Amino acid sequence: MNRLQDKVAIITGSGRGIGRETALLFAHEGAKVVVSDIDSALGEQTATEIRRAGGTAIFVRADVSQRADAQLLAETTAKEFGRIDILVNNAGILRDATLLKMTEEQFDQVISVNLKGVFNCTQAVAPIMIQQGKGKIINVSSVVALYGNFGQTNYVAAKAGVIGMTKVWARELGRKGICVNAVCPGFISTEMVKSVPEKILEAMKEKVPLGRLGEPREVAQLFLFLASDEANYINGAVISIDGGITV
Ligand code: NAP
């Protein structure tokens, strides 16, 4: 039995990385997937791959920092599939710099995508889930939201904010049958992490008790569990998936 049979799932930032793996896995488990990304070529690729494998997927281009795009994403999904069961707020960017060097633009960009983007998409999707009386929202935070990180004032502020919003929405939307949870990945082997200098990457690996980076698929498996009916009593949780780095 497929774990997400006929559920309709939106995954933001699913052109590559963790989002892409999530889209492929959800489709494999029977979900109708709305692949969304700011990059149309990458997003179309993910959706095409799902359809070639016999799954159901459409691509909707959306820059999550734009409220109109988030609205269009929710409306297009509802029009195409008639409902929205799952929203994975996964799109995110890095614009690292130490406090003294960080520009206002770097700060604003990361807050717009990683924090406001989550607000925009959730606000657009929530009315539809409320009407259904059911839904799952998975917000992608990061372990750095829990312990801070050198050079990431903007990113840590946004990801800590995502945890805060998750707890508010778990309270506000829980009564309407909607579960809202946050996931904090550690260091996962994606393009995002490949931009980190080799020396720092090696130091990061050494800090992880499991001695390696995580794989996007491993994070997608956790999203799958949270999105499935197996996790119907999990609400407002903040779950780390980090090889033990926070121990
Ligand atoms: P990734 O490989 O960079 O993928 C992120 C995707 O989001 C890209 O396809 C990107 O498009 C897209 N995107 C960027 N800005 C967007 C916007 N404004 N609207 C819609 N889509 C946008 O990143 P990842 O490593 O898979 O990370 C996925 C999520 O996990 C992020 O929220 C990240 O912060 C979080 N996370 C990752 C790690 C890690 O170690 N990788 C650890 C903790 C948390 P472009 O290709 O055009 O940029």
Side-chain angles (χ1 to χ4, degrees), residues 12-21 36-40 42-43 61-66 69 89-95 109 112-114 117-118 121 139-144 155 159 183-194 196 204 213-214 216 219 223 241:
T12 68
S14 47
R16 66 179 201 193
I18 295 168
R20 178 178 171 280
E21 282 299 323
S36 186
D37 205 283
I38 195 171
D39 185 319
S40 298
L42 283 177
R61 188 198 169 275
D63 174 348
V64 294
S65 68
Q66 302 301 311
D69 283 15
N89 281 310
N90 166 79
I93 57 169
L94 289 177
R95 296 288 183 270
Q109 276 179 346
S112 294
V113 176
N114 296 12
V118 175
C121 292
N139 294 329
V140 185
S141 179
S142 168
V143 286
V144 300
Y155 187 81
K159 293 299 189 182
V183 170
C184 296
F187 301 115
I188 311 300
S189 184
T190 67
E191 295 296 320
M192 183 179 263
V193 161
K194 282 179 194 147
V196 175
M204 274 157 47
L213 301 185
V219 181
F223 293 167
I241 172 158

Side-chain angles (χ1 to χ4, degrees), residues 16 25 31 38 44 75 78 108 129-130 166 172 194-195:
R16 66 179 201 193
L25 182 62
I38 195 171
E44 290 284 11
E75 280 167 13
D108 288 346
M129 289 185 173
I130 290 170
T166 300
E172 290 185 0
K194 282 179 194 147
S195 67

Side-chain angles (χ1 to χ4, degrees), residues 26-39:
F26 279 22
H28 181 73
E29 289 292 341
K32 296 170 182 164
V33 176
V34 177
V35 175
S36 186
D37 205 283
I38 195 171
D39 185 319

